[in-house]
Amino acid sequence: MKFIYDKREYAVTTWTLEHMPLREALDTFDRHGFKNIEIWADTVHLDPRCEPDIRGTKRQLLGLGMQVHSLHAPFRNYKNPPGEEKAFRRFRTDTIKKTMDYAYELGSRILVMHAVDRKEYNYSEDQIPLVQDYVGEIARYGAKNGIELAIEDIPPGTEDDEIYTSLENQRRLFADLGVRYCLDIGHVPLLGADLFREVEAAGSDLITFHIHNNYGVSDDHNLPDDGAIDWPKLHDYIRDTGFKGEFVLEIYGGADREKELDTLMRMDRLFQT
């Protein structure tokens, strides 16, 4: 087996340390030797609704010698959204475009996005053209600056959003829009899909991964060795397809800063085996 826990193969998401300000989170990851980062931009850190300090973040990243693998676009917690659906859709689209601007400024070339949100804005099958319109608009906007939009598979919520869950389904919906894909491996068992088929379905348009584990019941975001997914086997399969990028560890840190630091220590031990 070729699988080795090597930090150079992985990026980490700042969502793991979401209770820390971004500056502190980056310093903490640096002390633990993580140099590739996916920056969370949903509610905290680089969410445009928080008016983040992009210049200061760029200076810090340069000083730490860190690379920004990707940004994760906002997808929830839209407080007091416009009441009219079209206006709300426009507001979300403009917010995600602003996140793409941040990605460009920080030297990242990937923005991960949820096409829908099962709690705050779901779209039924007869509304697919609406989703295609705003996804296509965001993809074209990013392409102007070399930013690739990676649509993520999401766990199912209601019957309406089942068409948007797996990458196999989403590729049928968005194949002609110039998008790429992010495979969140922990979501796949929850939507009843097959991990290897998902990799195959996305093909060469699969440009990034979210790596975590669970036992097929809830979206726990455990370490990759804690759950029903055989990550070493999947890892080797993915590498054999020719994927050469980093895998993003998307591990749930906990409900407070103390638990987050404990999670980071457990992540560290994973790479010392």
Side-chain angles (χ1 to χ4, degrees):
M1 182 177 290
K2 299 185 294 296
F3 179 74
I4 300 173
Y5 280 110
D6 185 333
K7 284 184 180 178
R8 292 171 296 182
E9 281 201 84
Y10 295 88
V12 289
T13 173
T14 66
W15 174 63
T16 300
L17 303 180
E18 67 173 331
H19 292 94
M20 297 183 188
L22 179 58
R23 175 173 288 278
E24 183 179 349
L26 293 176
D27 282 339
T28 303
F29 278 130
D30 178 65
R31 287 196 298 273
H32 287 266
F34 291 102
K35 291 295 188 179
N36 292 306
I37 305 292
E38 176 173 282
I39 301 183
W40 195 252
D42 179 60
T43 311
V44 298
H45 297 166
L46 289 189
D47 190 320
R49 297 169 292 179
C50 300
E51 300 183 354
D53 178 9
I54 299 301
R55 290 184 178 179
T57 299
K58 185 175 182 178
R59 286 195 299 270
Q60 183 184 11
L61 290 165
L62 288 171
L64 295 174
M66 282 184 167
Q67 302 294 319
V68 181
H69 171 276
S70 49
L71 269 66
H72 196 305
F75 64 93
R76 60 182 174 177
N77 294 329
Y78 284 95
K79 297 178 180 178
N80 303 314
E84 198 267 326
E85 190 279 333
K86 184 177 181 180
F88 184 26
R89 190 167 10 116
R90 169 49 48 198
F91 178 64
R92 295 197 315 270
T93 300
D94 290 344
T95 300
I96 294 171
K97 284 182 173 181
K98 187 63 178 175
T99 314
M100 279 186 152
D101 293 340
Y102 297 164
Y104 176 74
E105 291 184 55
L106 296 177
S108 174
R109 290 296 175 265
I110 300 173
L111 183 81
V112 177
M113 171 182 156
H114 295 189
V116 300
D117 183 80
R118 62 187 185 275
K119 295 182 179 179
E120 297 190 28
Y121 46 95
N122 241 329
Y123 290 88
S124 58
E125 190 166 356
D126 62 353
Q127 294 175 303
I128 287 174
L130 295 180
V131 181
Q132 290 171 326
D133 282 348
Y134 72 75
V135 168
E137 179 182 342
I138 294 167
R140 290 190 297 273
Y141 182 82
K144 294 177 182 178
N145 286 322
I147 309 298
E148 295 186 291
L149 178 64
I151 302 295
E152 179 181 345
D153 58 308
I154 56 174
T158 67
E159 290 183 2
D160 282 347
D161 64 12
E162 288 182 359
I163 52 175
Y164 303 102
T165 54
S166 69
L167 294 190
E168 186 174 11
N169 285 351
Q170 294 200 65
R171 189 159 196 183
R172 286 195 290 266
L173 297 179
F174 306 133
D176 298 328
L177 302 181
V179 305
R180 299 294 192 95
Y181 300 97
C182 168
L183 180 59
D184 185 305
I185 69 168
H187 291 169
V188 177
L190 304 179
L191 53 92
D194 179 85
L195 280 160
F196 298 93
R197 184 168 176 173
E198 283 284 86
V199 173
E200 181 181 355
S204 61
D205 288 323
L206 187 51
I207 61 171
T208 187
F209 292 80
H210 286 163
I211 306 304
H212 54 98
N213 213 330
N214 60 65
Y215 289 90
V217 177
S218 58
D219 193 17
D220 300 318
H221 286 261
N222 297 335
L223 289 167
D225 61 348
D226 181 10
I229 297 168
D230 187 342
W231 169 233
K233 180 179 179 180
L234 180 61
H235 166 279
D236 286 355
Y237 176 80
I238 293 167
R239 288 299 190 207
D240 286 343
T241 69
F243 179 75
K244 300 185 185 303
E246 292 86 25
F247 300 108
V248 179
L249 288 171
E250 193 178 63
I251 309 302
Y252 176 57
D256 55 46
R257 291 162 58 98
E258 184 176 346
K259 290 181 179 178
E260 288 174 350
L261 288 171
D262 180 66
T263 298
L264 188 55
M265 291 297 293
R266 287 189 289 116
M267 288 170 63
D268 235 356
R269 288 195 290 272
L270 183 71
F271 293 96
Q272 296 169 12
T273 57

